[in-house]
Amino acid sequence: MSKHDVRCLWEAGAQLGEGPLWVAEQHRLYFVDLKNQTLHAIEVDSGARRSWAMPDFICWLIARRDGDGFMAGLRDGIARVWLEPELRIEYLHRPFAEGSGLRMNDAKVDSTGRLWAGSMHNTDYAQAVGKLFRLETDHTLHVADEGYHICNGPTFSLDGATMYHTDSFEGRTYAYPLAADGTLGEPRVWRQFGEGEGSPDGMTVDSEGCVWIAQWGGGRVCRYAASGELLDTIPVPVRNPASCTFGGADLKTLFITTASEDNTPEQLAAHPLTGAVFAVRVDVPGLPAARFG
């Protein structure tokens, strides 16, 4: 039996719940339903909810240091987004050729304020055509690495010298040396996930430098030491946990998004909370999400 009390925060029914983001000054958790083209937010204290219909896939949302709106990944690129008083979108980069079938997938910001975002083929995951982009604070975009099937993560060590990044199709998480100027060194396989563990998906790092990974198909979120050793397992009552982040006043609440896609009707019936957002209290706090800029 798990020592963790996992509670359902919102039965959102997300097709592909991704990109959880805690914004402390708003007491809000944001997350996306990527393929349903919807951005959601919940004020955790009051339970108040907001949703925004987006014009296309919404892959992630990242806060800006200057507080002037957000950065967002849409199907075909990276944009600035303002949600209030009304939705406004201004594209910065559209890096994919028309008709390529590529889309953005997951993203995070490092401690210097640079944004790292992965891409993938939208339907044919066997194609290793995904790229890892680095968006500098001056909005210039660079290709940092390529040859990925399904880019997920990334997240960063406490000293900023290591970037963890995943190819979910391969069930493999890499560790890259990360220089101060944003240059990546040669990656090493940090952890290869085996049969029955699920595929590594979204991830985050806590205040002790341990890596938390949502494991698609594995029905769990796990905590790993920086060495890759498994330290803790949180079972989630769905097949496909997709991502996780820390939030709450003390950063000891782990929020977990999940997905209903890649489930049979029988699996959906057996897991009625599929697509929900969950919250679980943990002993070690996380870190505030780094902001762009």
Side-chain angles (χ1 to χ4, degrees):
M1 180 177 294
S2 172
K3 66 181 180 180
H4 299 288
D5 180 19
V6 177
R7 64 183 180 92
C8 179
L9 188 66
W10 185 350
E11 291 187 46
Q15 180 179 350
L16 185 51
E18 290 277 8
L21 170 69
W22 174 253
V23 179
E25 63 269 27
Q26 300 179 359
H27 306 284
R28 265 183 179 176
L29 176 74
Y30 292 88
F31 65 98
V32 305
D33 187 350
L34 191 153
K35 292 184 179 177
N36 277 332
Q37 302 179 192
T38 307
L39 172 67
H40 297 294
I42 180 168
E43 294 178 15
V44 174
D45 296 337
S46 69
R49 300 172 181 178
R50 288 285 308 273
S51 296
W52 293 265
M54 304 299 285
D56 207 330
F57 289 176
I58 170 74
C59 307
W60 43 265
L61 189 77
I62 285 174
R64 293 175 55 94
R65 284 186 181 176
D66 61 11
D68 186 14
F70 296 85
M71 308 297 290
L74 302 178
R75 180 202 296 257
D76 56 348
I78 298 172
R80 291 190 66 179
V81 170
W82 294 262
L83 301 177
E84 294 159 327
E86 60 185 18
L87 178 65
R88 181 160 59 97
I89 298 171
E90 291 182 3
Y91 272 91
L92 297 175
H93 296 280
R94 283 183 158 114
F96 311 130
E98 189 172 350
S100 67
L102 300 175
R103 67 166 174 87
M104 303 303 296
N105 195 45
D106 204 358
K108 288 281 176 59
V109 171
D110 66 23
S111 60
T112 71
R114 291 179 296 239
L115 192 155
W116 299 80
S119 65
M120 59 182 286
H121 196 279
N122 186 45
T123 56
D124 186 359
Y125 307 148
Q127 290 194 41
V129 292
K131 295 181 180 180
L132 177 62
F133 297 100
R134 185 183 74 246
L135 183 71
E136 298 286 350
T137 56
D138 64 1
H139 293 172
T140 57
L141 188 68
H142 307 270
V143 176
D145 198 14
E146 53 191 321
Y148 283 91
H149 299 269
I150 301 175
C151 284
N152 268 310
T155 195
F156 305 90
S157 62
L158 296 184
D159 63 4
T162 300
M163 182 184 74
Y164 303 98
H165 192 237
T166 286
D167 190 327
S168 298
F169 184 84
E170 296 178 332
R172 188 175 301 153
T173 299
Y174 297 92
Y176 286 82
L178 176 58
D181 65 356
T183 302
L184 294 179
E186 189 68 23
R188 61 180 172 85
V189 176
W190 177 74
R191 199 172 198 281
Q192 177 68 54
F193 290 76
E195 188 72 25
E197 289 189 283
S199 180
D201 203 324
M203 53 186 171
T204 190
V205 167
D206 67 26
S207 58
E208 292 183 349
C210 294
V211 182
W212 293 78
I213 302 181
Q215 290 172 217
W216 182 280
R220 64 185 195 169
V221 178
C222 294
R223 183 183 190 232
Y224 298 91
S227 64
E229 176 192 0
L230 175 63
L231 300 177
D232 198 4
T233 298
I234 300 177
V236 184
V238 300
R239 285 188 63 252
N240 295 335
S243 194
C244 56
T245 198
F246 289 98
D250 59 2
L251 292 173
K252 285 188 175 182
T253 299
L254 186 72
F255 297 107
I256 303 166
T257 59
T258 71
S260 60
E261 73 170 25
D262 189 32
N263 281 275
T264 66
E266 293 76 18
Q267 288 167 337
L268 292 174
H271 302 93
L273 292 177
T274 292
V277 176
F278 296 92
V280 58
R281 297 288 291 169
V282 296
D283 295 330
V284 178
L287 300 166
R291 301 189 176 198
F292 176 79

